[in-house]
């Protein structure tokens, strides 16, 4: 599968400028760069967004913008956990494991976590004064526009012999 091509704009074809825009694991370098560009565009649309990460549902970081590598990986793990807990709550109390969005209001920030396609999650950290409707709308618009490119392939199941060999 080929990654989406982003429009060529000044600076778009330059190498990443800093650690927050470097290609991250789980996707090819070209695809990760394109995904980071998409996340950067989300931040440009909503200046109150401090950072965003795209991750697989099991917490593997795919792309990030606005966070250093360590913070991006921590945010991916946290978002995966909150998304999973919310799916469990939905299964138990709503009759469905479908999660549209998780929102947490913190002292000086807001955290938004949304389903972003097959096995993918988008997490956004915004300032406390951000308009939640605007952040949610722009996240949904981005996801709708490029959903097929946000999908994460399922990991192959480990064979019984692989599990037995693990320490």
């Amino acid at each position: 599968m080929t990654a989406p091509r982003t429009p060529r704009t000044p600076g778009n074809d330059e190498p990443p400028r800093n650690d927050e825009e470097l290609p991250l694991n789980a996707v090819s370098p070209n695809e990760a760069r394109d995904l980071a560009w998409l996340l950067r565009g989300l931040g440009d649309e909503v200046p109150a967004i401090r950072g965003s990460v795209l991750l697989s549902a099991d917490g593997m970081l795919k792309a990030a913008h606005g966070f250093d590598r360590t913070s991006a990986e921590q945010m991916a793990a946290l978002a995966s956990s909150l998304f999973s807990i919310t799916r469990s709550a939905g299964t138990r109390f709503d009759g469905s494991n479908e999660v549209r969005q998780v929102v947490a209001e913190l002292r000086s920030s807001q955290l938004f976590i949304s389903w972003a396609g097959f096995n993918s999650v988008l997490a956004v950290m915004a300032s406390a004064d951000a308009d939640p409707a605007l952040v949610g709308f722009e996240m949904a618009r981005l996801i709708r526009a490029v959903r097929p490119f946000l999908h994460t392939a399922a990991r192959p199941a480990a064979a019984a012999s692989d599990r037995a060999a693990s320490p």
Side-chain angles (χ1 to χ4, degrees), residues 52-128:
S52 54
V53 297
L54 179 67
L55 57 134
S56 66
D58 62 356
M60 294 298 297
L61 184 61
K62 293 178 63 173
H65 177 72
F67 293 109
D68 61 63
R69 174 87 183 214
T70 300
S71 296
E73 289 176 347
Q74 290 172 338
M75 178 59 71
L78 180 120
S80 173
S81 298
L82 288 172
F83 192 80
S84 178
I85 289 168
T86 306
R87 286 181 79 159
S88 295
T91 299
R92 175 68 173 103
F93 299 107
D94 189 48
S96 170
N97 69 355
E98 180 181 316
V99 176
R100 293 182 188 153
Q101 188 172 59
V102 178
V103 180
E105 287 187 46
L106 310 172
R107 183 178 52 82
S108 61
S109 303
Q110 298 177 64
L111 174 61
F112 300 83
I113 304 168
S114 293
W115 176 81
F118 179 76
N119 203 23
S120 295
V121 175
L122 174 63
V124 169
M125 182 66 74
S127 62

Side-chain angles (χ1 to χ4, degrees), residues 22-33:
L22 287 175
L24 301 170
N25 56 357
V27 292
S28 71
N30 289 339
E31 187 176 346
R33 192 166 290 131

Side-chain angles (χ1 to χ4, degrees), residues 41-49 101 103 110 112 114 122 124 126-127 129-142 144:
L42 179 62
D44 291 345
E45 287 294 319
V46 185
I49 292 176
Q101 188 172 59
V103 180
Q110 298 177 64
F112 300 83
S114 293
L122 174 63
V124 169
S127 62
D129 62 346
D131 178 355
L134 177 62
V135 175
F137 173 79
E138 290 298 335
M139 287 174 70
R141 190 169 73 120
L142 170 70
R144 234 183 346 269

